Amino acid sequence: MENAMSKFDTHEKLDATDNETVVKQVRERYAAFATAGTSCCGPAPTSCCGSTETVAQSLGYDTVDLDLLPEGANLGLGCGAPLQHLELTEGETVVDLGSGAGIDALIAARAVGPGGRVIGVDMTPEMLEAATANAARAGADHVEFRQGRLENLPVDDATVDAITSNCVINLVPDKSAVFAEIARVLRPGGRMVVSDIVLDGELPDAIRKNVMAYVGCVSGAEKRQVYFDQLSAAGLGDVEILKDTDFLEMMGKASPAEVISLLEAAGIDRNDVAGKVRSVTYRARKRQNVER
């Protein structure tokens, strides 16, 4: 199996001021993850020298849920396990933002049952192809995957009960547009549970400009206050922080080679970023009086 990172320069610089270039680079790298069947440096079924199942369990996924997935749905991606807090019920419509190979969409499909509906949105054709194949193998006829950007969701207004996303919003340069789209597609009072990366401090410039740090959900992250201010401005509120951990420390335990490679490529001492990169799982709702 192809090494997902073998074709990329871990020292490659990023022009974070050019949004479309950033999007293109993210798409290319996630296409490589889909093709390789892993999220980072090791050959499938490993993710950065730890098994994809070990990584997923360290993020909070239930072993039973992982065991029921078709092979290839779990790429070891993410920074949390938001679905366990979404409290889905039968018959609901849920959207997974940045659905990847389908792990969260397929877990959600069991929760909402055949009378419910799951829509996965992803911008990478290779991921969509993998997810569609995984849904077919799982017999999940009520799951569909649509190609699209999170800043312009291919979903009708006010048709969704719940939204989830796992470590993807941080990859989008225009996060305020993502939150506006979430508010548009949610029904009034609709809910979201998201795992994402926020910053509690400034990152060294070398990390900010490193492509693999961006794809690795680090350098594209926004400061905590700015992130949640943008969410609130979109008409989303009642924010509840469900989990808040040091992302690099968490991943250092599950995938030590990835963290070491990232920091070495950027020439950064781990102490320079300790505690600044936070994996946050939170719940929020669309305000009842918001019209979008």
Side-chain angles (χ1 to χ4, degrees), residues 155-213:
V155 181
D156 291 338
D157 295 358
T159 56
V160 176
D161 299 298
I163 283 180
T164 191
S165 184
N166 194 348
C167 214
V168 179
I169 295 175
N170 72 85
L171 296 171
V172 181
D174 188 356
K175 296 168 183 57
S176 60
V178 178
F179 294 132
E181 281 292 274
I182 290 173
R184 178 182 66 80
V185 304
L186 277 176
R187 307 182 201 276
R191 66 200 187 278
M192 59 188 287
V193 176
V194 168
S195 292
D196 210 3
I197 301 297
V198 297
L199 301 178
D200 281 345
E202 294 286 349
L203 291 177
D205 198 48
I207 287 283
R208 276 287 187 191
K209 295 181 178 179
N210 184 277
V211 169
M212 294 319 301

Side-chain angles (χ1 to χ4, degrees), residues 5-275:
M5 302 314 301
S6 61
K7 67 175 74 173
F8 298 124
D9 179 6
T10 57
H11 296 268
E12 185 179 350
K13 300 301 181 185
L14 174 77
D15 180 6
T17 64
D18 185 345
N19 286 358
E20 289 309 308
T21 296
V22 170
V23 170
K24 178 176 181 291
Q25 290 174 319
V26 170
R27 183 188 291 116
E28 288 175 350
R29 281 148 180 78
Y30 278 82
F33 297 159
T35 301
T38 178
S39 66
C40 204
C41 58
T46 67
S47 170
C48 309
C49 309
S51 73
T52 55
E53 183 166 354
T54 297
V55 172
Q57 288 175 347
S58 74
L59 294 176
Y61 282 90
D62 188 278
T63 302
V64 174
D65 285 332
L66 295 175
D67 288 345
L68 291 173
L69 291 170
E71 184 177 355
N74 173 21
L75 300 183
L77 293 163
C79 58
L83 271 182
Q84 64 182 266
H85 303 286
L86 196 53
E87 299 174 351
L88 294 170
T89 59
E90 290 191 11
E92 288 193 308
T93 296
V94 57
V95 172
D96 179 16
L97 305 182
S99 46
I103 177 172
D104 289 319
L106 294 178
I107 294 174
R110 292 198 296 274
V112 301
R117 188 181 187 192
V118 181
I119 301 169
V121 178
D122 204 285
M123 70 174 180
T124 306
E126 291 84 353
M127 282 293 188
L128 292 165
E129 181 179 354
T132 300
N134 287 329
R137 283 194 287 270
D141 296 334
H142 55 303
V143 178
E144 64 173 308
F145 295 95
R146 300 177 183 177
Q147 185 167 6
R149 298 264 292 266
L150 303 196
E151 313 95 306
N152 186 22
L153 293 173
V155 181
D156 291 338
D157 295 358
T159 56
V160 176
D161 299 298
I163 283 180
T164 191
S165 184
N166 194 348
C167 214
V168 179
I169 295 175
N170 72 85
L171 296 171
V172 181
D174 188 356
K175 296 168 183 57
S176 60
V178 178
F179 294 132
E181 281 292 274
I182 290 173
R184 178 182 66 80
V185 304
L186 277 176
R187 307 182 201 276
R191 66 200 187 278
M192 59 188 287
V193 176
V194 168
S195 292
D196 210 3
I197 301 297
V198 297
L199 301 178
D200 281 345
E202 294 286 349
L203 291 177
D205 198 48
I207 287 283
R208 276 287 187 191
K209 295 181 178 179
N210 184 277
V211 169
M212 294 319 301
Y214 198 104
V215 176
C217 303
V218 175
S219 68
E222 186 60 84
K223 286 187 177 180
R224 183 188 298 260
Q225 187 63 51
V226 174
Y227 183 101
F228 286 107
D229 282 350
Q230 291 176 341
L231 180 146
S232 179
L236 303 165
D238 297 330
V239 175
E240 179 185 358
I241 303 297
L242 304 169
K243 189 174 182 180
D244 187 342
T245 62
D246 186 320
F247 178 60
L248 293 181
E249 180 180 347
M250 178 177 66
M251 294 310 297
K253 294 176 181 177
S255 306
E258 177 183 9
V259 176
I260 292 171
S261 176
L262 172 63
L263 296 178
E264 287 182 348
I268 295 297
D269 187 289
R270 187 164 183 161
N271 292 328
D272 293 336
V273 293

